[in-house]
Amino acid sequence: MTTSCAAAATTIHDVLRNGTVRSVFQPIVELDTGRVVAYEALARGPQGPLERPDHLFAAAREAGRLAELDAACRNAALTGALAAGLATPLTLFVNVEPEVLDRAPMEDLLAIAQAAPGGLRVVLEITERALATRPAELLRTVERVRSVGWGVAVDDVGAEAMSLAFMPVLRPDVVKLDLRLVQERPGPAIAEIMNAVNAHAERTGSVVLAEGIEDEAHLAMARALGATLGQGWLFGRPGPGPVEGAVNGSLVLPSQRPDTVSEDADVSPFACLPIDVPLREAPKALLIELSKQLEREALRLGPASVVAATFQEARHFTPATTLRYRDLVERTGFVCALGEDLPVEPLPGLRGAALDPADPVRGEWDVTVLGPHFSAALLARDLGDDGPDAERRFAYALTYDRDTVIRATAALLARVAPRQEALPSAPAVDRGAQSGPTVPAADRFDVGVLVSASGDTLVHGALAATPSGVSIVDVRLPDQPLVYVNPAFERLAGLPKRELLGRNCRFLQTPDTDPAAVAAVRRAIDAGEECRVTMLNERGPAGTTWWNELHLAPVTGPDGTVTHYIGVQVDVTARVEAERALVQERDRTRSYLTRIEELAYTDPLTGLPNRRRLAEQVDTAIWNARARDEAVALLFVDLAGFKGVNDRFGHAAGDELLVAVAGRLRGRLRRDDLLARLGGDEFLVALTGLPQATAAAEARRIADELAAVVAGPVPLGDQEVVVRASVGVSVWPEDGADFPALLHSADMRMYATRSGTRG
């Protein structure tokens, strides 16, 4: 250990021994009323080098005392809040470090909060690092804090897609938007994030909080993004106590829900299926294909999705499976695979856990896919067959019920082993205490060391020979100019060295450069971190564009502060254009398939669904009705007099009549009712969501109204024609268990009605 490291370690020991950790509090306001409804506790060390939270936590992490510091910070937050008078109706937001989730002494915190006068409402903030590092511990912590009435917030949502992927499982009470969403120009990435956040808030009632509001423009953007709470310098900087003269209010959070994870270690995904879900039997060969289809859905969803799977035994995780899951790891947010004898990390980036032979999941084949707008799960139980592996039979269900998929996913995440090495990321620094960025000692690289070890000639010769563009910027100088470029960079930029040195690299950007990529570079430089992006750049006076795969790495000086950034640029235009062409071809193929499907399922004359599509819709309606104790009615509508119109006025007039009748039928039905053309002059109507006790009477009443609306005169050119409708009615479950049976019953009653007998 170096002298500086030892000094930092001694200092952190003193901080923990003397109890000199303290909290400051930043207000959180209700945007519509301006009332202060909560405060966030922000950690501070004693005056000196460890006062800043990033320095404080870095020293504790290096000294191996992170858990103790985290506990001290949370105790300081609660005791400091009580001392400052931050009691009900105010709420206190407290952070927890992801590396110590399973060791956090929550009982001490609960006792402090419960002993507070009038009670102290607490919201525990969890970062994205907790989601990726320790999902099982995270879910257990969420269960513990919710059991005593505390709330849960996910911090920095939008900084990475990981938080979007885990939101359905955590169901946070508060979604805290990353400050870049309100401070940067809107783009496709921000739109995608807000689409997911607003969908989650609409489904669960979660409260959206925007961070980093520093001026009126930020406030307007926060409102536009759907935030109802705000935090930032516009409302007050962190202080030792409440804002003087502020009007306080109560933070209304969603009502408590059943815990997403049970403490019962025997719960399994298959056991999450509702008792009335019908099970099917299939050989393993079919389950493999169904699993691959779900994996393809996950790839389509991209980084905002979670994939969880079980493989029974490690031998079932084959080389072919490895290839598929390598793609999933690269293109989705979080992937885990569980099985007996499977390692903690079956392949790089894939999270795992070795299942105990007695674990009920050991006998299951489960694949769940969960995203902001999609959920699906294949949940299967081994029936214990002997014989060839591919022919072994399973009882299974394929479900798209979101609550079931969430419970099944949580059951698997609760078994995932912690990441063996915590992510090398320091805690966020609040906006009230900014200074120069720092880099962990293990990640530091000093370019001077390289030069002194190998000589200027060798270094410059190597940089000049590399085919990749290499540049160095000095972040200590105004506007962070280029101080070195190699010949390959000159060729990429289309300019000689004399016109490049002294300029900021932003001159390479074009009006079409993705703002999200530019923002990612700025965030990395501000934080003193590495960065990899692909962005559109401009080449030389001609203004031609090229795609730059850029890797930026910080370089530190002797005191550990970042002095330079080395950038490596690679022209990947051919690859990007090929990928875009592939996407265009895929989209074109998808549009063709959509059109083919439309033709296969739609009546070309009226635009209504045909019998095939209605049969699928009715099957789904019956499934839903079974779960909700409702009924479904099927109405068979036959036109009397249509043949006469065809014979008298021609087929074109007959087609016009059918279109008019379809419009009248549609106009009478409710929004959720289904209408299809069976063929010729026959239509089908499905009434959904009917009360079982009155379904038959309600269906007969609507049948009479449909017959009446059809009977009105229909103008055809300068004449009017009149047709009548005979309607037969059948009701599920009394008249049939599925669509064919209901159709036959309604058909028979239609004929009875047409002959003068009421069906």
Side-chain angles (χ1 to χ4, degrees):
M1 180 180 290
T2 64
T3 302
S4 60
C5 290
T10 302
T11 303
I12 191 63
H13 295 318
D14 292 340
V15 169
L16 293 173
R17 182 173 56 253
N18 299 330
T20 51
V21 175
R22 58 190 172 90
S23 284
V24 293
F25 303 93
Q26 186 170 37
I28 296 172
V29 306
E30 201 172 50
L31 296 184
D32 286 343
T33 65
R35 296 182 303 180
V36 175
V37 295
Y39 284 85
E40 180 178 3
L42 303 170
R44 295 290 186 271
Q47 287 189 346
L50 294 186
E51 183 174 12
R52 278 179 37 174
D54 55 345
H55 293 169
L56 184 67
F57 275 83
R61 188 176 283 108
E62 187 171 350
R65 304 194 67 179
L66 184 62
E68 296 170 74
L69 176 62
D70 188 63
C73 288
R74 281 182 278 113
N75 277 282
L78 290 170
T79 55
L82 296 180
L86 303 180
T88 303
L90 292 170
T91 298
L92 181 68
F93 281 62
V94 180
N95 294 275
V96 62
E97 275 297 299
E99 293 98 322
V100 299
L101 276 172
D102 51 343
R103 291 171 283 156
M106 301 300 298
E107 287 72 18
D108 295 344
L109 303 180
L110 300 178
I112 294 173
Q114 290 168 349
L120 179 63
R121 302 181 64 203
V122 177
V123 172
L124 197 69
E125 287 195 36
I126 300 165
T127 67
E128 289 179 333
R129 290 181 295 129
L131 306 178
T133 308
R134 312 179 80 86
E137 291 79 2
L138 170 62
L139 293 177
R140 285 196 291 271
T141 298
V142 168
E143 180 183 7
R144 292 164 70 192
V145 300
R146 280 208 167 117
S147 67
V148 295
W150 288 13
V152 174
V154 176
D155 198 11
D156 298 331
V157 170
E160 299 290 344
M162 181 70 67
S163 54
L164 303 180
F166 271 83
M167 272 199 303
V169 178
L170 292 178
R171 298 196 176 189
D173 302 283
V174 181
V175 177
K176 296 190 70 175
L177 303 180
D178 185 62
L179 58 86
R180 74 182 179 92
L181 298 182
V182 300
Q183 293 186 355
E184 296 179 4
R185 189 177 72 179
I190 291 179
E192 181 180 4
I193 293 164
M194 293 316 304
N195 196 342
V197 168
N198 285 318
H200 172 79
E202 184 178 44
R203 275 193 299 263
T204 66
S206 294
V207 179
V208 180
L209 188 161
E211 296 183 287
I213 301 177
E214 299 178 358
D215 54 38
E216 292 296 331
H218 294 165
L219 176 60
M221 178 58 73
R223 293 181 187 275
L225 293 174
T228 58
L229 300 179
Q231 182 179 8
W233 285 3
L234 184 64
F235 308 117
R237 301 193 181 193
V243 176
E244 186 175 352
V247 178
N248 294 337
S250 177
L251 174 58
V252 179
L253 297 177
S255 58
Q256 290 298 309
R257 316 171 187 84
D259 295 332
T260 54
V261 181
S262 169
E263 291 184 354
D264 182 0
D266 292 334
V267 70
S268 73
F270 191 82
C272 294
L273 285 168
I275 194 169
D276 58 347
V277 171
L279 299 177
R280 306 170 186 173
E281 290 187 8
K284 178 181 175 181
L286 175 60
L287 297 189
I288 291 175
E289 295 307 318
L290 293 176
S291 301
K292 290 179 181 178
Q293 176 58 33
L294 291 183
E295 292 163 10
R296 287 191 288 270
E297 291 287 354
L299 292 173
R300 180 179 60 82
L301 295 174
S305 63
V306 169
V307 182
T310 61
F311 290 89
Q312 294 191 298
E313 302 174 52
R315 64 187 178 90
H316 295 147
F317 199 82
T318 64
T321 307
T322 300
L323 293 176
R324 299 202 316 272
Y325 273 71
R326 183 175 290 120
D327 286 344
L328 287 170
V329 167
E330 291 177 354
R331 295 168 57 184
T332 63
F334 182 93
V335 191
C336 65
L338 289 72
E340 186 178 354
D341 295 328
L342 266 178
V344 170
E345 196 172 33
L347 58 91
L350 176 62
R351 305 297 298 281
L355 293 177
D356 188 283
D359 193 320
V361 176
R362 168 63 178 78
E364 296 184 8
W365 182 290
D366 305 311
V367 179
T368 71
V369 176
L370 186 59
H373 313 291
F374 178 86
S375 55
L378 170 65
L379 307 177
R381 184 178 58 199
D382 195 333
L383 295 178
D385 290 349
D386 295 326
D389 189 63
E391 298 177 12
R392 289 192 298 118
R393 291 179 308 120
F394 289 74
Y396 83 96
L398 186 62
T399 179
Y400 297 88
D401 178 72
R402 190 168 185 83
D403 287 338
T404 301
V405 177
I406 289 172
R407 289 195 298 272
T409 304
L412 293 179
L413 293 179
R415 290 167 163 82
V416 173
R419 188 186 293 275
Q420 292 178 321
E421 295 182 2
L423 296 178
S425 176
V429 183
D430 70 271
R431 303 282 291 183
Q434 293 183 5
S435 63
T438 61
V439 178
D443 297 333
R444 293 174 186 160
F445 167 73
D446 189 341
V447 71
V449 173
L450 175 63
V451 171
S452 62
S454 56
D456 286 337
T457 303
L458 178 59
V459 171
H460 284 280
L463 292 176
T466 181
S468 300
V470 178
S471 59
I472 300 177
V473 301
D474 191 332
V475 297
R476 301 167 300 180
L477 298 178
D479 206 29
Q480 301 175 346
L482 288 164
V483 294
Y484 171 83
V485 294
N486 73 340
F489 184 90
E490 295 180 68
R491 291 191 293 271
L492 291 173
L495 293 169
K497 179 169 63 175
R498 64 178 180 278
E499 296 183 28
L500 294 173
L501 298 182
R503 300 176 65 179
N504 185 285
C505 287
R506 74 173 66 90
F507 76 89
L508 293 172
Q509 298 167 18
T510 79
D512 296 323
T513 300
D514 185 0
V518 177
V521 172
R522 289 175 180 166
R523 285 198 307 274
I525 294 176
D526 289 343
E529 297 173 348
E530 235 182 307
C531 178
R532 293 178 185 270
V533 296
T534 300
M535 61 168 58
L536 187 66
N537 281 169
E538 197 168 54
R539 179 178 288 121
T544 57
T545 56
W546 57 288
W547 286 96
N548 180 7
E549 187 175 74
L550 172 64
H551 177 207
L552 290 174
V555 178
T556 59
D559 61 352
T561 60
V562 175
T563 61
H564 296 78
Y565 259 87
I566 294 181
V568 178
Q569 294 85 8
V570 179
D571 187 342
V572 292
T573 305
R575 188 194 75 193
V576 172
E577 290 179 348
E579 290 172 349
R580 290 190 160 197
L582 186 61
V583 169
Q584 290 177 349
E585 186 60 32
R586 183 194 64 193
D587 292 343
R588 185 161 47 245
T589 302
R590 194 172 286 168
S591 68
Y592 291 154
L593 292 175
T594 301
R595 179 57 180 158
I596 291 170
E597 182 178 4
E598 184 180 306
L599 293 173
Y601 284 97
T602 305
D603 172 45
L605 175 62
T606 62
L608 295 175
N610 59 16
R611 171 177 172 167
R612 182 180 177 188
R613 172 52 59 84
L614 186 73
E616 294 181 355
Q617 293 174 325
V618 170
D619 284 342
T620 301
I622 290 174
W623 179 285
N624 293 333
R626 182 183 291 111
R628 300 169 184 167
D629 293 327
E630 296 174 343
V632 177
L634 189 66
L635 281 55
F636 194 120
V637 182
D638 179 77
L639 302 183
F642 173 74
K643 185 176 184 302
V645 173
N646 252 351
D647 293 343
R648 181 179 177 187
F649 299 103
H651 290 286
D655 289 347
E656 187 178 346
L657 173 62
L658 290 173
V659 172
V661 169
R664 290 186 178 186
L665 294 174
R666 179 74 270 174
R668 168 57 192 83
L669 297 174
R670 302 168 303 173
R671 180 178 179 180
D672 294 333
D673 293 333
L674 308 172
L675 173 64
R677 183 184 175 203
L678 187 59
D681 57 358
E682 297 172 336
F683 294 85
L684 290 176
V685 174
L687 308 176
T688 62
L690 299 176
Q692 288 189 355
T694 60
E698 178 71 7
R700 188 67 259 173
R701 182 183 65 81
I702 294 176
D704 292 341
E705 292 182 7
L706 292 178
V709 78
V710 170
V714 179
L716 293 179
D718 56 356
Q719 301 187 55
E720 289 185 340
V721 299
V722 176
V723 292
R724 303 195 181 278
S726 299
V727 184
V729 177
S730 62
V731 178
W732 178 89
E734 290 85 353
D735 299 322
D738 53 21
F739 175 77
L742 292 175
L743 179 60
H744 176 73
S745 180
D747 192 9
M748 293 299 99
R749 289 177 179 171
M750 183 275 295
Y751 276 108
T753 300
R754 193 165 62 180
S755 62
T757 303
R758 226 31 205 281

